[in-house]
Amino acid sequence: PRRFLASKEQFHAYLRARGEPGSQRSDGGKEEEAEIKEKEEEVGSCQSEPPAKRMRSEDFGQDGESQEDAGAEEKEPTERKRARGQNKSRPCMKPNHYEQSRLCPSVTQGCAEKCYFGPRCRFLHDIDEYMAVKPADLGRSCVLFETFGKCIYGVTCRFAQAHLGNGYQNIVNMDVAKQWEGKSLVRNNLSKDLQHQLRKRKFIFKKADEYLRGLAKPHGDSGKGGKAMGCSTEEQEMSNCTTTEEGRADSPECPVLLEPEDPKPDVLQSPGPTGDEEVSFVKTVGPVTDEDMIKLRSCEKKKLEIQGKLYLAPLTTCGNLPFRRICKRFGADVTCGEMAVCTNLLQGQSSEWALLKRHHTEDIFGVQLEGAFPDTMTKCAELLNQTIEVDFVDINVGCPIDLVYKKGGGCALMTRSNKFEQIVRGMNSVLDVPLTVKIRTGVQEKINVAHKIIPKIREWGASMVTLHGRSREQRYTRGADWDYIAECAKIASPMPLFGNGDILSYEDANRAMQMGVSGIMIARQVPVGALIKPWLFTEIKEQRHWDISSSERFDILKDFTNYGLEHWGSDTQGVEKTRKFLLEWLSFLCRYIPVGLLEHLPQKINERPPYYMGRDYLETLMASQNVDDWIKISEMLLGPVPTSFTFLPKHKANSYR
């Protein structure tokens, strides 16, 4: 309703006055408005607002109220472009940079005399010295101690007063701790032995090597065999290029691409005979086993029974384990980890393996892999098949960013049918769980090719396809083409096809299911989706619009914070990592428009509201797109930020001031 509308100056003045009544029209408020205006003029283009966010005269009442403000807004230069893309120059402060003097982990674990580094250790070993410089505690209750009966972070915990006794002894609640003994809460961890095998290239890829040797055999005049393993030098270099933090994907399908500074090209090749042995493609004579004669048929594999279920899409950065726990609580049936790069997994990178972790509450869980060549993708599939617990493995053929596309991965696989086929067939041959594929309508905006590829994917052995109703050129703009998704669902039959795009309410979900798809995938679609409205799963299951209050939304943030402290830790490093991911999520949550304030239901795609006042101070604060206000919300949950703290959202579209 129009009574909630406000100008930018009124909105920020209200928040600066901490919601005190009458603050907008006071003289002090006018001075604050002038200060805000001056500051906003200094903000760079990456912080500028999109034209759709600016006030228009028709947005106000017919009585001419606020016409002066509207006229001032119209004088702003119209040629200013909307902020898009990634904030590549944003500060890269890591959570551990906020703590100068850290206590050695050996002391925390009660075995200081066994410190691996001995006198060379650069961490503190004196608890009294550490406590003298340790930042003040953030609260009186520790979520780890209350939940598990013990906090493994001891004196380094930022809530340590809840479980420290005399002499800084860590107290343990044995009654609670016994309930969790022997239980594995988070699975799919990377063991040190496995990491060592991968780094030294001692892991044996028996099935993958057999498949790749078959591809390397000549196939007459077709010439397909010679390219099976990406044998050309150029392709090897492309698949092994290093990437930087700046190159992390700015899309929901693409996570960070991190690799060592000096990667070894041979990590991409199959470990073959060493020494003076020659590679022979002639099958040796030997005893015939059952495995040689009888192959595991696709119908004998574990089936993926998720038709009609709600599928939470893999989401970059924000689709972490604590966020997935929030979505599971609200009714998500199927969850999937963030996209992992196969070459990084094969190199044993801890940061990449962290994307595969699975909470015990995720009953149907899969992982998504990105790669461009059959050798790395097939080996990675066999590696995961032997080492982690998943219900399915998904191939990302939908990532639109240039970094991935130019190396032949993501959407580029839709134009490389030979490599695409080899990847799907190879991964399917080494996996004991179903293989799924996520694709887009095509690469170019008006040239759809998914309907041609889907029958081939079914023939190659995939168990399911998810189709995002946009092309690569569209990225995440404009509406998804659900008519085309319906056409592809008929072509895919009997293989299940899930639709993805613009599921903003239970009405949209009902409309999508009537298109003939087997289910729907819910992602971050602008402006609403799982990231901006995680209770969307509840709305779909209960068939209602939920006018969720600001206090209920704040409780969701509290739960996320607690889950984050459980997952990343309650020491300074864990607290700041939790804060970082909370702020990234808040950059999306601020786009939610409360149902009680809407003139019509539901909120529509790419709909950016004018500035509005919420029904209380907290609701107004949550609607702010100012980074400083997000930080204020994080301080309400995690205490004051460090003195050197800086934050800028990953995507420019999320960083208005």
Side-chain angles (χ1 to χ4, degrees):
R2 297 180 187 276
R3 68 177 184 274
F4 292 108
L5 293 176
S7 67
K8 181 197 299 186
E9 290 78 11
Q10 291 172 335
F11 180 85
H12 288 297
Y14 175 78
L15 290 181
R16 282 173 178 264
R18 302 190 62 81
E20 294 176 6
S23 61
Q24 299 123 278
R25 295 298 178 186
S26 65
D27 294 335
K30 291 179 181 177
E31 291 176 7
E32 288 179 351
E33 289 174 15
E35 286 179 16
I36 294 168
K37 212 168 201 177
E38 288 176 8
K39 287 184 179 180
E40 283 168 353
E41 287 174 358
E42 298 172 1
V43 177
S45 60
C46 70
Q47 297 289 325
S48 62
E49 298 171 349
K53 185 73 181 174
R54 297 179 188 143
M55 296 303 303
R56 297 176 182 175
S57 58
E58 58 265 24
D59 289 335
F60 292 89
Q62 296 178 356
D63 57 354
E65 183 184 356
S66 299
Q67 288 295 329
E68 291 181 7
D69 292 333
E73 292 294 323
E74 288 173 359
K75 292 177 183 178
E76 291 187 16
T78 55
E79 65 274 9
R80 183 180 294 176
K81 294 183 179 179
R82 177 176 175 174
R84 293 178 183 273
Q86 189 176 0
N87 281 315
K88 295 185 177 180
S89 59
R90 67 180 185 152
C92 298
M93 290 289 288
K94 295 184 178 179
N96 57 1
H97 290 169
Y98 297 114
E99 190 175 26
Q100 301 299 324
S101 302
R102 300 177 62 190
L103 191 66
C104 181
S106 63
V107 179
T108 309
Q109 296 164 7
C111 52
E113 66 282 354
K114 297 181 181 179
C115 178
Y116 178 79
F117 296 99
R120 296 182 293 109
C121 183
R122 59 190 177 89
F123 297 130
L124 298 177
H125 286 74
D126 187 339
I127 295 181
D128 292 322
E129 183 182 354
Y130 171 76
M131 294 300 290
V133 297
K134 179 190 172 185
D137 280 359
L138 301 175
R140 297 182 178 180
S141 62
C142 173
V143 63
L144 293 177
F145 180 70
E146 291 180 352
T147 305
F148 305 110
K150 178 182 179 181
C151 178
I152 60 174
Y153 296 94
V155 294
T156 63
C157 175
R158 295 298 301 277
F159 308 87
Q161 58 182 300
H163 50 78
L164 284 187
N166 296 329
Y168 303 123
Q169 291 295 317
N170 200 23
I171 299 173
V172 178
N173 186 338
M174 296 305 299
D175 293 335
V176 179
K178 284 180 180 178
Q179 299 175 11
W180 296 98
E181 281 184 3
K183 294 183 179 179
S184 177
L185 302 180
V186 177
R187 289 170 271 176
N188 300 346
N189 294 297
L190 175 63
S191 66
K192 288 295 180 183
D193 290 340
L194 177 58
Q195 188 177 45
H196 180 77
Q197 287 182 47
L198 293 172
R199 288 178 173 176
K200 298 298 181 182
R201 299 177 200 140
K202 293 182 179 179
F203 192 89
I204 299 173
F205 301 96
K206 183 179 177 182
K207 292 181 179 179
D209 288 344
E210 181 183 348
Y211 173 76
L212 295 171
R213 279 195 295 269
L215 288 182
K217 291 180 182 179
H219 293 278
D221 297 330
S222 62
K224 292 182 181 178
K227 295 183 181 179
M229 297 168 62
C231 295
S232 70
T233 307
E234 183 180 353
E235 286 181 341
Q236 285 185 2
E237 289 176 355
M238 284 177 64
S239 72
N240 204 38
C241 284
T242 58
T243 54
T244 63
E245 176 76 13
E246 295 177 1
R248 292 197 77 156
D250 55 358
S251 68
E253 293 156 336
C254 305
V256 181
L257 307 173
L258 291 174
E259 293 190 282
E261 293 180 3
D262 184 24
K264 309 294 184 188
D266 33 334
V267 77
L268 300 179
Q269 300 172 358
S270 303
T274 57
D276 298 327
E277 296 177 9
E278 294 182 0
V279 179
S280 173
F281 298 115
V282 179
K283 193 167 182 67
T284 56
V285 178
V288 178
T289 63
D290 290 343
E291 191 176 357
D292 294 324
M293 300 297 295
I294 305 171
K295 297 291 183 183
L296 185 66
R297 295 179 297 171
S298 58
C299 62
E300 296 174 325
K301 282 190 175 185
K302 179 183 175 183
K303 291 186 178 180
L304 188 62
E305 301 288 349
I306 62 172
Q307 284 84 346
K309 295 185 181 293
L310 298 179
Y311 184 173
L312 173 65
L315 301 169
T316 311
T317 305
C318 296
N320 45 63
L321 186 143
F323 175 76
R324 297 198 304 269
R325 288 182 65 182
I326 294 287
C327 292
K328 280 296 295 183
R329 201 185 70 189
F330 280 115
D333 299 309
V334 185
T335 55
C336 187
E338 301 174 57
M339 188 192 83
V341 182
C342 63
T343 50
N344 295 348
L345 293 174
L346 289 171
Q347 292 165 0
Q349 291 188 17
S350 301
S351 58
E352 207 72 21
W353 276 82
L355 305 177
L356 310 180
K357 289 185 178 180
R358 172 184 190 172
H359 195 260
H360 69 94
T361 57
E362 297 181 272
D363 46 352
I364 305 177
F365 175 77
V367 295
Q368 189 182 65
L369 300 180
E370 183 277 326
F373 299 95
D375 59 338
T376 51
M377 289 291 278
T378 306
K379 288 180 184 178
C380 191
E382 183 174 4
L383 170 66
L384 300 187
N385 192 63
Q386 295 184 36
T387 56
I388 67 173
E389 296 179 28
V390 291
D391 298 297
F392 63 93
V393 175
D394 187 62
I395 306 175
N396 188 330
V397 193
C399 184
I401 67 164
D402 292 339
L403 185 70
V404 173
Y405 180 80
K406 289 180 178 178
K407 293 177 184 176
C411 281
L413 283 176
M414 297 184 72
T415 63
R416 303 169 67 224
S417 58
N418 181 34
K419 286 287 185 286
F420 193 7
E421 177 181 0
Q422 292 170 354
I423 288 173
V424 175
R425 288 188 184 276
M427 293 179 70
N428 193 50
S429 68
V430 301
L431 285 171
D432 295 330
V433 295
L435 179 69
T436 66
V437 182
K438 188 173 189 293
I439 63 174
R440 284 179 174 251
T441 58
V443 175
Q444 296 174 308
E445 186 172 347
K446 296 182 180 179
I447 304 178
N448 295 333
V449 297
H451 63 283
K452 299 178 182 177
I453 297 175
I454 288 173
K456 296 179 182 178
I457 294 175
R458 181 184 59 209
E459 179 189 339
W460 298 338
S463 300
M464 190 187 84
V465 167
T466 303
L467 177 59
H468 184 172
R470 294 181 176 89
S471 64
R472 176 182 179 261
E473 286 185 354
Q474 282 182 267
R475 302 289 287 261
Y476 302 95
T477 60
R478 304 186 189 88
D481 190 348
W482 274 93
D483 291 331
Y484 183 65
I485 293 176
E487 179 186 336
C488 290
K490 295 177 182 177
I491 295 172
S493 183
M495 178 180 66
L497 184 141
F498 270 53
N500 175 220
D502 303 353
I503 305 298
L504 316 178
S505 64
Y506 76 89
E507 295 160 343
D508 294 327
N510 295 344
R511 202 175 299 117
M513 290 303 295
Q514 291 171 3
M515 293 289 188
V517 296
S518 302
I520 53 176
M521 173 185 277
I522 299 174
R524 77 171 73 190
Q525 270 68 37
V526 183
V528 183
L531 278 181
I532 297 163
K533 192 177 173 182
W535 53 92
L536 176 59
F537 299 100
T538 301
E539 289 190 349
I540 293 174
K541 290 194 171 182
E542 297 182 2
Q543 294 288 292
R544 67 183 177 99
H545 292 293
W546 184 358
D547 187 11
I548 188 169
S549 67
S550 59
S551 59
E552 289 175 308
R553 290 163 63 194
F554 191 72
D555 287 340
I556 295 172
L557 297 180
K558 276 184 185 177
D559 291 335
F560 176 85
T561 302
N562 290 337
Y563 295 158
L565 294 174
E566 284 183 28
H567 186 57
W568 291 302
S570 58
D571 58 346
T572 298
Q573 187 172 344
V575 167
E576 294 312 317
K577 187 172 285 189
T578 302
R579 191 192 306 275
K580 170 193 168 187
F581 286 106
L582 173 64
L583 290 171
E584 289 285 1
W585 188 22
L586 284 171
S587 72
F588 287 93
L589 280 172
C590 66
R591 301 185 190 184
Y592 171 71
I593 309 171
V595 169
L597 272 60
L598 290 172
E599 289 186 347
H600 57 81
L601 292 172
Q603 182 179 351
K604 294 188 178 177
I605 190 69
N606 291 333
E607 201 171 54
R608 291 279 187 154
Y611 283 94
Y612 66 88
M613 295 292 188
R615 291 164 290 189
D616 55 44
Y617 171 72
L618 185 57
E619 191 167 78
T620 308
L621 183 66
M622 288 180 171
S624 174
Q625 298 188 3
N626 189 338
V627 175
D628 295 333
D629 290 326
W630 305 338
I631 293 174
K632 188 185 297 183
I633 294 173
S634 80
E635 289 181 322
M636 295 165 68
L637 295 162
L638 292 168
V641 297
T643 53
S644 57
F645 183 84
T646 56
F647 175 76
L648 191 63
K650 194 171 182 183
H651 201 278
K652 291 179 182 177
N654 292 359
S655 51
Y656 311 129
R657 280 190 183 272

